[in-house]
């Protein structure tokens, strides 16, 4: 049995990966299709009573994804590049990507949806799979499409729906708009990976929209796993109080640098990932 979307777990603990995979298999599904991680989730797992050296922290990240990779060898596992946003260049990200992609056979490199992140993606998408993270706008999605046209490997884009909801905006609109835009282009090389899922409604609507991938935190996954409910055909995503993010007619044939890729939540997200990572590293 399969769902209309690939199902990933979002977390930093291989025990959760194992449990979620087993729950799917027990219910007759083929198991987890993948895993996403991020610096905040990994920092939480590696947190100790003393600060780690940067080598120990990177080794800890590596060991964690190795364990995850052993649990779901047929799935893919997102590994994020990490660094101080004030100084991290596209070249640094490419060099981290080239190193981290060798950690496990089924890694995908997560790069931020910022200007240096997309510069790095434009280069690295020819060398390995990428997942562009911290996506909050359809225009960013247009830029990701254009920056990764010459890809040789999978390209994923992670709209963070929960963080838009937190600001009173309907985050799922971004998923719906991006899917419509990509589908209308006839080029589906960028796979929308619905992320920052905070509740069952997000999950059901993402399934209804046939988002190619959905990543789910273990807490929400466990709730869903009680029935593995799927949305009916006439499902309506009803979220009173959240303001609509309207669809925009954007052409996808421009150079990626011509799109407005700035979003405050991308900047604050990058800063928070670095803050959380720095809190465990001396
Ligand atoms: C996805 O890859 C991210 O790890 C994740 O979904 C972020 O979710 P949050 O907004 O709940 O932190």
């Amino acid at each position: 049995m399969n769902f209309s979307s690939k199902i990933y777990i979002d977390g930093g603990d291989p025990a959760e990966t194992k449990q979620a995979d087993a729950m799917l298999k027990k219910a007759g599904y083929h198991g987890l299709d993948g895993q996403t991680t991020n610096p905040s989730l990994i920092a939480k797992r590696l947190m100790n009573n003393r600060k780690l050296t940067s080598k120990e922290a990177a080794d800890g990240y590596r060991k964690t994804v190795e364990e995850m990779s052993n649990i779901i060898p047929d799935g893919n596992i997102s590994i994020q590049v990490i660094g101080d946003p004030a100084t991290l260049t596209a070249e640094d990200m490419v060099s981290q990507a080239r190193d981290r992609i060798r950690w496990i056979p089924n890694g995908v490199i997560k790069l931020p949806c910022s200007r240096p992140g997309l510069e790095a993606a434009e280069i690295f998408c020819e060398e390995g799979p990428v997942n562009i993270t911290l996506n909050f706008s359809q225009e960013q999605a247009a830029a990701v499409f254009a920056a990764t046209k010459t890809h040789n490997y999978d390209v994923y884009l992670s709209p963070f729906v929960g963080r838009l909801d937190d600001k009173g905006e309907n985050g799922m609109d971004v998923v719906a708009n991006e899917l419509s835009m990509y589908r209308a282009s006839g080029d589906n090389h960028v796979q929308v990976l619905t992320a920052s899922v905070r509740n069952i409604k997000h999950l059901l609507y993402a399934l209804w929209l046939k988002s190619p991938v959905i990543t789910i935190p273990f807490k929400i996954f466990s709730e869903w796993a009680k029935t593995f409910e799927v949305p009916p055909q006439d499902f309506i995503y009803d979220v009173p109080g959240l303001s609509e993010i309207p669809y925009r007619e954007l052409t996808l044939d421009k150079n990626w640098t011509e799109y407005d890729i700035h979003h405050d939540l991308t900047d604050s997200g990058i800063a928070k990932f670095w803050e959380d990572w720095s809190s465990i590293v001396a």
Side-chain angles (χ1 to χ4, degrees):
M1 279 200 295
N2 278 329
F3 295 103
S4 51
S5 306
K6 289 193 172 155
I7 303 296
Y8 289 12
I9 202 86
D10 188 31
D13 182 355
E16 292 179 353
T17 314
K18 197 170 182 172
Q19 238 182 301
D21 187 54
M23 283 153 111
L24 281 162
K25 286 177 175 154
K26 195 171 167 211
Y29 297 96
H30 63 256
L32 273 181
D33 297 299
Q35 163 100 43
T36 49
T37 66
N38 70 41
S40 307
L41 294 166
I42 297 293
K44 199 169 158 203
R45 170 169 166 84
L46 300 180
M47 203 167 279
N48 211 311
N49 42 16
R50 68 166 177 88
K51 290 228 181 186
L52 305 174
T53 64
S54 50
K55 182 174 181 316
E56 282 172 331
D59 285 349
Y61 195 171
R62 180 183 183 142
K63 282 194 186 107
T64 304
V65 294
E66 278 171 356
E67 275 187 60
M68 291 165 171
S69 172
N70 286 334
I71 298 162
I72 45 169
D74 299 327
N76 72 42
I77 307 197
S78 288
I79 309 168
Q80 194 155 327
V81 300
I82 305 177
D84 181 345
T87 52
L88 190 70
T89 63
E91 292 70 37
D92 297 333
M93 290 193 217
V94 171
S95 131
Q96 277 195 37
R98 287 179 179 148
D99 174 47
R100 288 171 188 223
I101 199 68
R102 290 196 300 265
W103 284 1
I104 49 174
N106 50 348
V108 172
I109 298 300
K110 236 176 162 186
L111 296 161
C113 200
S114 60
R115 200 174 171 93
L118 293 199
E119 273 173 41
E122 188 177 27
I123 298 167
F124 190 72
C125 70
E126 296 186 18
E127 302 175 30
V130 292
N131 173 1
I132 309 304
T133 190
L134 292 166
N135 161 231
F136 295 97
S137 76
Q138 190 191 332
E139 189 150 353
Q140 287 180 326
V144 169
F145 180 97
T148 58
K149 273 231 125 166
T150 60
H151 68 106
N152 290 323
Y153 294 85
D154 284 345
V155 177
Y156 299 92
L157 172 67
S158 295
F160 275 31
V161 299
R163 295 191 192 189
L164 281 163
D165 284 13
D166 292 344
K167 305 270 283 180
E169 296 180 57
N170 184 352
M172 285 304 297
D173 278 342
V174 174
V175 174
N177 295 343
E178 292 177 350
L179 287 169
S180 299
M181 177 175 72
Y182 288 156
R183 284 173 185 158
S185 78
D187 173 346
N188 289 305
H189 83 269
V190 181
Q191 303 183 55
V192 174
L193 189 166
T194 302
S196 185
V197 163
R198 300 275 172 75
N199 53 54
I200 299 281
K201 268 193 192 178
H202 283 153
L203 168 56
L204 292 179
Y205 188 32
L207 284 167
W208 188 84
L209 288 167
K210 297 190 172 50
S211 173
V213 187
I214 309 170
T215 190
I216 313 167
F218 187 70
K219 190 168 167 276
I220 309 298
F221 180 90
S222 312
E223 203 182 318
W224 179 51
K226 288 178 190 153
T227 57
F228 284 116
E229 177 188 1
V230 291
Q233 261 180 9
D234 59 353
F235 176 81
I236 291 172
Y237 183 62
D238 178 28
V239 278
L242 294 182
S243 63
E244 185 196 349
I245 301 177
Y247 183 77
R248 294 183 53 199
E249 289 299 339
L250 295 171
T251 57
L252 292 174
D253 52 3
K254 294 200 282 188
N255 185 292
W256 71 265
T257 55
E258 291 171 40
Y259 295 99
D260 177 11
I261 60 162
H262 175 261
H263 198 289
D264 284 346
L265 289 177
T266 305
D267 293 347
S268 55
I270 294 171
K272 180 76 170 96
F273 281 146
W274 177 238
E275 185 191 319
D276 288 347
W277 190 252
S278 308
S279 73
I280 63 156
V281 181

